[in-house]
Amino acid sequence: MEMVFIAAALIIGLGALGAGIGFGLLGGKLLESTARQPELGNQLQTKAFIMAGLLDAVPMIGVGIAMYLIFVVAG
Amino acid sequence: MSPTRKRINRLPFLQWLATETGLIVVWSLVWFTESRLAGYSAFVGGLIYVIPNAYFAHRMYRFEGARNAHLVVGNMFRAETVKLALTAVFFAAVFILMEPVHVPALLFTFAVMVVLSPLLRWFIRPKPQR
């Protein structure tokens, strides 16, 4: 049973790590490129918004599977 | 420098919500052919994605423009944190409170919405106000 909790913790932890690195890079590049070309800030924000949706796809699905493991398989 | 709240983009919030809800309904109907429980679970799975994502979109576009870029990025980080937390809470609530639940329908609809939603945002993009 403990292995299920370890698996869920790994799924959530590694997903959060990846999302954190990805969002850090995305936010940093957004700030950098907006500082370079402020007139494009509008379009860059929209593109960052779309990329954020793609970036958190895997962690979101991971959260769903981890909750299933915790509350259905182990519970 | 104080942040400005003047809107630059016209956000298609209602269009996004309507299209996502339409997609969930169609997908639930597909699952409904298997069983009533599967259709209901698929609808709930779609809603688990749509509600946190609506919050994310609202929070992300709270500030706009190059002058507020630091606020945009800060809000994006906070919105993402709350979105993941809300998703976890909703999944936990469904698995604890909703009995019985068709897990493949729930998770598969959620995954489909996660993949389709950025495509939807690409096709229905915020447009600059003229």
Side-chain angles (χ1 to χ4, degrees), chain A residues 23-24 26-27 30-31 34 38 42 45-50 52-54 56-57 59-61 63-65 67-68 71-72, chain B residues 8-9 16 49 56-57 60-61 63-64 66 69 73 77 80 83 87-88 91-92 95-96 103 110 114 118 121-122 126:
Chain A
F23 266 88
L26 182 69
L30 176 63
L31 278 178
T34 308
N42 218 6
Q45 187 179 356
T46 303
K47 286 187 171 62
F49 176 58
I50 293 164
L54 287 170
D56 67 3
M60 291 275 278
I61 295 168
V63 163
I65 293 171
M67 291 297 130
Y68 169 70
F71 290 103
V72 179
Chain B
I8 299 171
N9 289 316
W16 282 337
Y49 178 76
F56 179 77
M60 174 112 190
Y61 276 99
F63 299 100
E64 293 174 304
V73 174
F77 292 159
E80 179 58 25
K83 182 183 172 183
T87 308
F91 266 116
F95 288 134
I96 292 171
V103 177
F110 180 78
V114 165
R121 301 256 188 283
W122 178 258

Side-chain angles (χ1 to χ4, degrees), chain B residues 35-63:
Chain B
S35 71
R36 200 175 159 180
L37 177 67
Y40 178 61
S41 300
F43 188 74
V44 172
L47 281 185
I48 291 175
Y49 178 76
V50 167
I51 296 169
N53 205 44
Y55 173 79
F56 179 77
H58 167 72
R59 190 81 199 245
M60 174 112 190
Y61 276 99
R62 217 168 184 180
F63 299 100

Side-chain angles (χ1 to χ4, degrees), chain B:
Chain B
M1 197 184 306
S2 62
T4 52
R5 289 240 179 171
K6 194 172 166 243
R7 291 241 70 91
I8 299 171
N9 289 316
R10 191 182 62 78
L11 295 180
F13 271 125
L14 280 178
Q15 258 179 297
W16 282 337
L17 270 180
T19 318
E20 281 177 348
T21 313
L23 271 174
I24 296 174
V25 169
V26 170
W27 201 248
S28 304
L29 287 175
V30 171
W31 276 102
F32 196 82
T33 54
E34 188 174 307
S35 71
R36 200 175 159 180
L37 177 67
Y40 178 61
S41 300
F43 188 74
V44 172
L47 281 185
I48 291 175
Y49 178 76
V50 167
I51 296 169
N53 205 44
Y55 173 79
F56 179 77
H58 167 72
R59 190 81 199 245
M60 174 112 190
Y61 276 99
R62 217 168 184 180
F63 299 100
E64 293 174 304
R67 224 176 261 272
N68 298 322
H70 61 295
L71 293 170
V72 170
V73 174
N75 268 305
M76 184 173 77
F77 292 159
R78 276 181 217 117
E80 179 58 25
T81 312
V82 174
K83 182 183 172 183
L84 278 175
L86 272 179
T87 308
V89 168
F90 285 159
F91 266 116
V94 165
F95 288 134
I96 292 171
L97 303 174
M98 209 176 122
E99 199 69 46
V101 60
H102 194 280
V103 177
L106 184 91
L107 286 178
F108 197 72
T109 310
F110 180 78
V112 166
M113 287 308 294
V114 165
V115 174
L116 283 184
S117 185
L119 287 177
L120 184 76
R121 301 256 188 283
W122 178 258
F123 288 118
I124 310 173
R125 267 181 267 183
K127 294 204 170 52
Q129 278 184 341
R130 299 275 177 213

